[in-house]
Amino acid sequence: MTNNELQLDWLKCFLAVVDTGSLSRAALEVNRSQSAVSMQIKKLEAATGRQLLSRSPKHMHLTEDGLTLFSYARQMVSLHTEIQTVFHGSELHGKIQLGVTEDYAAHYLTPLLKRFSSRHSEIEIELVCDQSSKLIPLIQSEKLDLALVSRSSPAQGTFLFEEPMVWVGSPYFELWRRKTIPVAVFEEHSLARNNAISSLVQQGREFKIVYHSASLAGQYAAVEGGLAIAALTQCSVPSSLKILGEEQGLGDIKPLEVSVLRSRTSARKSSVDHLHNLIIASLKRAI
């Protein structure tokens, strides 16, 4: 092997650092020690002859050369996973306990599961659909292997993308014209709820919470029935509802950070490795 030949393990560690933003969190992702991950990055930088990451006390950032390598590294690791799947997919078996929020299930996860299940028919997937505030503790207590959630902290999983939040209302009930706007919100501790209320407070709009529901279907019912307006993820807005904005006197809402979390015990499951890699390769958006 020549001195500048790149090893797959180096690239996996590099991607883990980029995805998680730190050496310590990357170490958990690849099931290695922090010092081992640091050494892999140093070897990769030595092989390329470039500094790939700039280090700050709390975060790691891609340099210009690191950004160039990033897309190639993602493709190489993804292709390696695909080759393994083609030749060894039938050897994978067992159960994966997967959590997802209602918002992201149909739009983002269903297409992935179709691809995964067609190649790994021997793997049983147990799907738990709930709010992020309920799923994150299930990952921490090892009751789930993976979860696709809206995170409240950079320490919660591998960041994938930002999901916009929008105001919605029924076109048949122009509730936004009222002095005091009736609002439907999700359950307490929900990021979507907090972001929606913060937006109204910052705008100085008078509002009244008239409906609480942890269910997306419940939010739809409240809005379509003319009880309230609501703040929903953009991916979950049905065609029957109207997206509201400046024209209706409503400002922006802070977007949600979508991430995939993995439990520590799942590091020993090759089936979870494959699904985890597929989720990241498919949903991780370029930096």
Side-chain angles (χ1 to χ4, degrees), residues 231-272:
L232 303 179
T233 50
Q234 186 170 283
C235 69
S236 68
V237 178
S239 58
S240 59
L241 299 183
K242 176 184 178 70
I243 294 180
L244 312 175
E246 290 185 7
E247 187 178 339
Q248 291 79 29
L250 292 164
D252 294 337
I253 310 171
K254 183 180 178 181
L256 299 174
E257 291 190 353
V258 181
S259 72
V260 56
L261 280 74
R262 181 172 184 173
S263 68
R264 292 190 179 187
T265 55
S266 73
R268 298 189 294 270
K269 296 183 179 180
S270 58
S271 57
V272 179

Side-chain angles (χ1 to χ4, degrees), residues 274-287:
H274 280 68
L275 182 55
H276 184 248
N277 291 339
L278 177 62
I279 290 172
I280 292 176
S282 302
L283 299 183
K284 176 82 173 176
R285 295 176 186 169
I287 295 176

Side-chain angles (χ1 to χ4, degrees), residues 40-259:
Q40 299 289 64
I41 298 300
K42 288 178 181 178
K43 289 179 180 179
L44 183 59
E45 290 183 323
T48 58
R50 307 291 177 88
Q51 181 181 353
L52 303 173
L53 297 163
S54 65
R55 299 156 176 82
S56 65
K58 294 185 178 180
H59 205 74
M60 308 282 283
H61 302 276
L62 283 170
T63 63
E64 187 174 344
D65 288 319
L67 186 59
T68 300
L69 177 63
F70 176 76
S71 61
Y72 289 112
R74 181 73 76 198
Q75 292 176 54
M76 288 180 67
V77 172
S78 179
L79 183 59
H80 178 261
T81 300
E82 188 173 338
I83 292 171
Q84 285 186 317
T85 298
V86 169
F87 289 99
H88 305 294
S90 61
E91 296 178 6
L92 295 175
H93 60 276
K95 179 193 292 186
I96 299 176
Q97 294 171 304
L98 173 64
V100 64
T101 65
E102 195 175 1
D103 305 50
Y104 306 143
H107 192 78
Y108 295 119
L109 196 59
T110 298
L112 291 181
L113 292 181
K114 285 181 179 178
R115 290 165 54 193
F116 187 82
S117 298
S118 66
R119 292 180 173 177
H120 304 292
S121 58
E122 298 300 315
I123 297 177
E124 176 187 353
I125 296 181
E126 183 178 299
L127 195 62
V128 177
C129 195
D130 211 329
Q131 296 298 312
S132 296
S133 58
K134 304 286 182 62
L135 295 174
I136 293 172
L138 292 178
I139 287 286
Q140 294 168 340
S141 62
E142 313 289 348
K143 294 178 180 177
L144 289 177
D145 296 312
L146 294 172
L148 187 65
V149 301
S150 301
R151 71 178 187 179
S152 58
S153 163
Q156 292 173 340
T158 298
F159 173 73
L160 300 174
F161 59 90
E162 285 191 345
E163 175 64 32
M165 289 199 64
V166 294
W167 291 108
V168 296
S170 168
Y172 305 108
F173 303 95
E174 298 185 343
L175 302 178
W176 53 87
R177 297 185 181 277
R178 295 184 183 180
K179 181 180 179 181
T180 302
I181 306 175
V183 180
V185 295
F186 287 98
E187 84 288 1
E188 195 174 358
H189 306 306
S190 161
L191 284 175
R193 172 193 175 116
N194 294 340
N195 291 358
I197 292 175
S198 294
S199 174
L200 292 171
V201 171
Q202 290 171 7
Q203 296 169 56
R205 292 296 304 264
E206 292 184 25
F207 68 95
K208 181 180 181 180
I209 296 175
V210 298
Y211 185 86
H212 301 257
S213 176
S215 164
L216 192 57
Q219 300 289 320
Y220 293 158
V223 177
E224 291 176 347
L227 300 180
I229 67 168
L232 303 179
T233 50
Q234 186 170 283
C235 69
S236 68
V237 178
S239 58
S240 59
L241 299 183
K242 176 184 178 70
I243 294 180
L244 312 175
E246 290 185 7
E247 187 178 339
Q248 291 79 29
L250 292 164
D252 294 337
I253 310 171
K254 183 180 178 181
L256 299 174
E257 291 190 353
V258 181
S259 72

